[in-house]
Amino acid sequence: MGAKSTPLAIKVAIYERLLSGQMSREIGRSYVLSQPTVLKYANDAVDALRRIHSIDASPVLLGFLSRKLKTQCFQYPDDDEVRSLMAPILEPYLTRAESIDFAGRESADQPLSTRVSRSTEEEFLQIVSSLAEGQRPGMTPSALLRELVENFVTQHRGNQPAFNPATAPIQQVAKSSMPAVDTDALLADVMDAIRFQFAQHGLAQKPV
């Protein structure tokens, strides 16, 4: 259940926008990416373009792409020859990128972390190892954690009554901006979700 790789068309589109003078911060906002990721994707695009036969056969383009990204961005706007040679090569990628809703994707790289005891971690890793060797080949700790969290959220969402803002008492909203949380009930829900997942994977819960 790993994150899907970023399409080359998106990387080339990011690269082209840098060449055209857009700031990496602005591009990052458009694609919901960090600045380092924007620059990494642009360099990935350069590496991929270098392997294209039409570029490999062009000393002008090969020389251009061999320069550092920052130098390319300075040179590109004023180099008519490079732009005329690059345009037909970039065009198919840019057309493809327009049809990809990359900014609207469900990001798979949002971290969610917590701290657990060493014994809990060791037992969890044993469970993952058992699943990977049996019912769930290739299972990883992060994949199982994601599955548990997503299933818990789905289950919790299904148990919540629909919220109608038109009927919500204004006085209650004014009293507190944060809803009261029953920590005991929340913990019980989490444990129920974990027990359910263990049962789904054929794992008996250890007695406590």
Side-chain angles (χ1 to χ4, degrees):
M1 293 179 62
K4 293 182 179 179
S5 60
T6 300
L8 178 58
I10 294 296
K11 294 182 178 182
V12 172
I14 288 172
Y15 171 60
E16 191 274 338
R17 290 177 68 169
L18 282 172
L19 291 180
S20 298
Q22 291 193 32
M23 302 296 292
S24 58
R25 184 182 293 106
E26 179 184 351
I27 298 172
R29 283 197 295 266
S30 298
Y31 287 96
V32 195
L33 294 170
S34 66
Q35 282 183 276
T37 301
V38 167
L39 298 177
K40 177 186 181 302
Y41 284 175
N43 281 304
D44 288 347
V46 171
D47 291 340
L49 291 172
R50 283 176 182 164
R51 295 192 291 269
I52 296 177
H53 175 71
S54 56
I55 286 183
D56 188 50
S58 170
V60 173
L61 291 182
L62 203 57
F64 175 75
L65 292 175
S66 67
R67 296 179 174 88
K68 292 183 178 180
L69 181 61
K70 186 175 182 179
T71 304
Q72 294 180 37
C73 292
F74 278 122
Q75 177 183 346
Y76 190 79
D78 299 322
D79 195 322
D80 294 338
E81 183 180 12
V82 169
R83 286 192 289 109
S84 64
L85 291 172
M86 285 285 282
I89 296 173
L90 298 179
E91 184 179 3
Y93 295 101
L94 301 181
T95 300
R96 170 61 180 148
E98 289 178 356
S99 66
I100 301 174
D101 183 20
F102 188 74
R105 73 198 184 284
E106 180 181 355
S107 179
D109 59 2
Q110 300 302 313
L112 182 66
S113 63
T114 187
R115 292 182 178 275
V116 296
S117 66
R118 176 63 61 85
S119 60
T120 298
E121 179 191 21
E122 291 175 350
E123 187 172 350
F124 179 74
L125 293 177
Q126 289 175 2
I127 292 171
V128 173
S129 178
S130 176
L131 289 172
E133 294 174 359
Q135 299 172 331
R136 304 289 296 277
M139 175 61 73
T140 64
S142 60
L144 181 55
L145 279 173
R146 174 173 176 150
E147 185 175 315
L148 288 169
V149 171
E150 290 180 344
N151 286 340
F152 171 73
V153 170
T154 300
Q155 181 184 21
H156 185 70
R157 185 189 301 124
N159 292 335
Q160 295 300 306
F163 174 72
N164 185 349
T167 60
I170 297 177
Q171 294 84 352
Q172 292 183 8
V173 175
K175 286 181 181 179
S176 174
S177 60
M178 293 292 292
V181 177
D182 186 337
T183 54
D184 290 337
L186 179 59
L187 180 59
D189 285 345
V190 172
M191 294 306 298
D192 286 343
I194 292 175
R195 292 189 191 99
F196 176 76
Q197 288 301 313
F198 283 171
Q200 288 289 96
H201 297 308
L203 298 170
Q205 182 188 12
K206 289 190 175 182
V208 294

